[in-house]
Amino acid sequence: MNIQAYIESGILEEYVLGAVSSQEKQEVECLSKIYPEIKTELLKLEQAMEKYALEHQTPPPAHLKGKIFAQMKFGPISGQVDTDEDQGATVVPIGTGTTTTRPLWASLAVAASVLLAVLLGWAFYQMSAYRAQNESLTAEVESIRSEAEYQQTLANLYRSTDYKVVRMAGVERSPESHVVAFWNQATNEVLLDVQKLPAPPSNRQYQLWSIVNGTPVDMGVLDQEFEGRILKMKATQPGTAAFAITLEQEGGSPNPTLEQMYVIGNV
Amino acid sequence: MAPPKLKYTEDELVASLKRNEQAAFEYLYDHYSGALYNVICRIVRDNEKAEDVMQEAFLKIWRSISSYNPDKGRLFTWMLNIARNTSIDAVRAEGRKPDFDDIQENLDRADQHASYQPSPSTMDLKSLVEKLKPERKILVDLVYFQGYTQEEVSEQLRIPLGTVKSRIRTALQDLKNYFSV
């Protein structure tokens, strides 16, 4: 990653001025946690602006301080009470039933026999349809079973105390994206659950990186079929500070392309 | 009550604030209310309203200090954001947005009201304001003190967005270099 180019892009200045979107805000905060150079620059800018602001003072009226402090309670016990608004229950009216009156029993019987004849013909025709449906149901059950297995595996990962859950949120270019990494800190095994990533263009593939001591380390490429399954990635190293995913050439790259970063998350 | 401290490091101050100590909040008020009130006045532009906003902002700072994370930035930046957002919300609640027509008048007024209070360590900063080129200072103040987006500044002052951004960046770099000496 070209840290210098990032620093010079002007985004840090915009961040310090409070002129960034919440996506950009998160990106700056993540990257400054990973890269000391960014953090240093950010801190210098913040300090400069702080001093600048402190050179521009308008003292509030003298009586205001007492008025404000009279409303504050100090000490270890917090005097603040959160009031939750009651959730009003909504009553949904039940639809009024329609009542129909049947004419004579005779006309009922005629109608019934006509209906029976139609049903018989229809039933015969349906026999073959059921057979086909049966097959598609079997396939559906199979897919539900594999979905359930996936969900069960996920639930186990979230429950397990062996795995550290690291959420990678989408950056400005792809705010919808969201990927979760499960890091077994004992064995350093890393599993991925892609909740949302755009479909990669042809000849491109997503690649996972771990940031160790400020340096990105290749964690392998994501299988092109990444949705609805748990992906096993390369093992990481102790001291991993963050995970990130970039879009690279098919088969992966030796170094990440920062401009193509989709998600990032601190440990 | 603990005797009031004359000087806190930022870490000490944050720790004491998070313990909800009165002395720390008094220190915070005494040292920063002037800078925060300056920003509030510039956005709200109504003395009575500004007092209400100052009160609301400071109480917000007190109530939400537990959510302040020093890893994400300095305390002052966090407080300034609260003051600025509270002011902008108050102005929006009135259904108006400060117009740009009287920026110059507004800035002149703000500067008249602002008192210059150099601390001994920054005594040599008197010329700081003059160090920033006026056309850059106005842009920085509009964004930093008044919460305008760079796009709004560009539109209203009819300066290309790229120029706004590069002037602001240069100004901040100047300030950074100036203060880090």
Side-chain angles (χ1 to χ4, degrees):
Chain A
M1 172 174 138
N2 191 337
I3 299 162
Q4 206 50 41
Y6 190 79
I7 289 175
E8 280 163 14
S9 72
I11 186 151
L12 300 183
E13 284 82 359
E14 292 178 22
Y15 175 88
V16 170
L17 292 174
V20 290
S21 69
S22 58
Q23 285 295 329
E24 289 170 323
K25 187 165 179 279
Q26 197 187 12
E27 182 183 313
V28 169
E29 284 167 1
C30 262
L31 289 170
S32 79
K33 214 170 159 187
I34 300 170
Y35 296 101
E37 298 93 321
I38 294 179
K39 174 119 194 163
T40 308
E41 174 75 8
L42 201 57
L43 207 64
K44 278 190 200 159
L45 285 169
E46 279 194 83
Q47 277 168 337
M49 290 317 286
E50 180 172 334
K51 285 178 183 158
Y52 181 69
L54 289 174
E55 295 302 318
H56 292 76
Q57 304 217 8
T58 307
H63 67 90
L64 193 58
K65 185 179 174 186
K67 197 175 159 194
I68 293 176
F69 276 75
Q71 295 174 61
M72 297 163 68
K73 287 180 195 143
F74 297 99
I77 301 153
S78 160
Q80 302 137 44
V81 182
D82 284 313
T83 50
D84 279 325
E85 279 175 42
D86 286 341
Q87 295 283 324
T90 44
V91 179
V92 182
I94 296 164
T96 50
T98 49
T99 52
T100 47
T101 48
R102 289 283 161 211
L104 298 170
W105 65 271
S107 54
L108 245 181
V110 171
S113 50
V114 169
L115 190 65
L116 184 66
V118 171
L119 275 174
L120 275 174
W122 184 70
F124 185 73
Y125 163 77
Q126 283 291 306
M127 284 301 282
S128 52
Y130 281 146
R131 201 160 294 153
Q133 207 178 350
N134 198 10
E135 279 161 23
S136 82
L137 272 175
T138 311
E140 204 173 316
V141 167
E142 200 46 53
S143 93
I144 288 170
R145 182 173 296 150
S146 77
E147 170 71 15
E149 269 169 26
Y150 161 67
Q151 296 292 355
Q152 187 59 51
T153 314
L154 261 187
N156 290 342
L157 285 171
Y158 276 111
R159 278 182 201 152
S160 164
T161 50
D162 297 337
Y163 286 91
K164 181 150 181 71
V165 178
V166 182
R167 292 182 181 282
M168 286 180 270
V171 298
E172 185 71 5
R173 62 167 23 254
S174 178
E176 300 287 301
S177 294
H178 189 201
V179 181
V180 178
F182 301 93
W183 172 21
N184 186 324
Q185 287 178 308
T187 64
N188 286 318
E189 175 192 37
V190 173
L191 303 171
L192 275 194
D193 175 40
V194 178
Q195 300 186 352
K196 193 158 174 55
L197 269 182
S202 57
N203 303 327
R204 311 282 278 164
Q205 200 166 7
Y206 288 112
Q207 187 169 4
L208 177 70
W209 306 90
S210 63
I211 316 292
V212 184
N213 298 327
T215 313
V217 179
D218 167 43
M219 293 282 294
V221 291
L222 275 69
D223 194 287
Q224 295 288 31
E225 298 288 317
F226 51 70
E227 265 173 34
R229 48 187 289 217
I230 306 290
L231 305 171
K232 186 165 165 51
M233 308 305 293
K234 289 186 190 170
T236 188
Q237 298 165 26
T240 298
F243 292 101
I245 291 178
T246 59
L247 189 62
E248 305 291 343
Q249 62 200 19
E250 210 162 16
S253 309
N255 288 303
T257 316
L258 173 69
E259 297 72 40
Q260 291 292 324
M261 186 167 78
Y262 278 74
V263 292
I264 183 164
N266 285 322
V267 170
Chain B
M1 196 204 305
K5 284 190 78 164
L6 293 175
K7 187 80 188 145
Y8 286 89
T9 66
E10 173 129 347
D11 289 347
E12 284 169 356
L13 180 61
V14 170
S16 305
L17 291 171
K18 284 185 182 274
R19 285 193 301 270
N20 198 21
E21 287 174 11
Q22 176 159 4
F25 278 99
E26 299 226 11
Y27 177 91
L28 196 70
Y29 189 91
D30 295 343
H31 283 77
Y32 296 109
S33 62
L36 299 178
Y37 195 63
N38 177 55
V39 168
I40 292 169
C41 288
R42 285 185 190 228
I43 300 176
V44 174
R45 289 199 272 161
D46 169 333
N47 287 344
E48 209 171 307
K49 191 100 192 159
E51 286 183 32
D52 290 346
V53 172
M54 179 71 210
Q55 176 170 321
E56 196 185 332
F58 198 77
L59 290 174
K60 254 185 217 170
I61 290 168
W62 170 63
R63 270 195 296 267
S64 48
I65 189 72
S66 60
S67 70
Y68 163 65
N69 177 359
D71 288 345
K72 289 190 175 175
R74 289 179 61 83
L75 179 64
F76 182 77
T77 311
W78 180 77
M79 293 196 298
L80 185 67
N81 274 327
I82 290 181
R84 190 163 42 207
N85 290 340
T86 309
S87 309
I88 292 172
D89 287 348
V91 170
R92 285 215 184 109
E94 280 181 0
R96 74 175 168 93
K97 187 141 173 79
D99 27 285
F100 273 83
D101 298 339
D102 48 359
I103 280 173
Q104 199 50 57
E105 174 245 339
N106 180 30
L107 287 180
D108 293 346
R109 208 170 54 116
D111 285 341
Q112 273 170 25
H113 281 277
S115 67
Y116 192 76
Q117 304 186 327
S119 58
S121 64
T122 54
M123 204 64 108
D124 55 340
L125 294 176
K126 194 160 169 42
S127 56
L128 167 75
V129 172
E130 290 81 53
K131 285 251 180 226
L132 278 190
K133 291 194 173 174
E135 75 267 24
R136 291 183 190 152
K137 177 175 160 48
I138 287 174
L139 300 185
V140 169
D141 289 356
L142 282 171
V143 176
Y144 188 58
F145 288 144
Q146 288 177 258
Y148 287 105
T149 65
Q150 300 184 92
E151 285 76 10
E152 286 169 329
V153 172
S154 150
E155 249 171 56
Q156 295 295 324
L157 298 185
R158 298 199 182 79
I159 303 173
L161 182 58
T163 312
V164 170
K165 288 191 170 187
S166 69
R167 280 186 189 168
I168 287 179
R169 179 169 146 72
T170 312
L172 261 67
Q173 287 297 323
D174 287 352
L175 286 175
K176 184 190 82 176
N177 295 332
Y178 194 81
F179 282 120
S180 57
V181 172

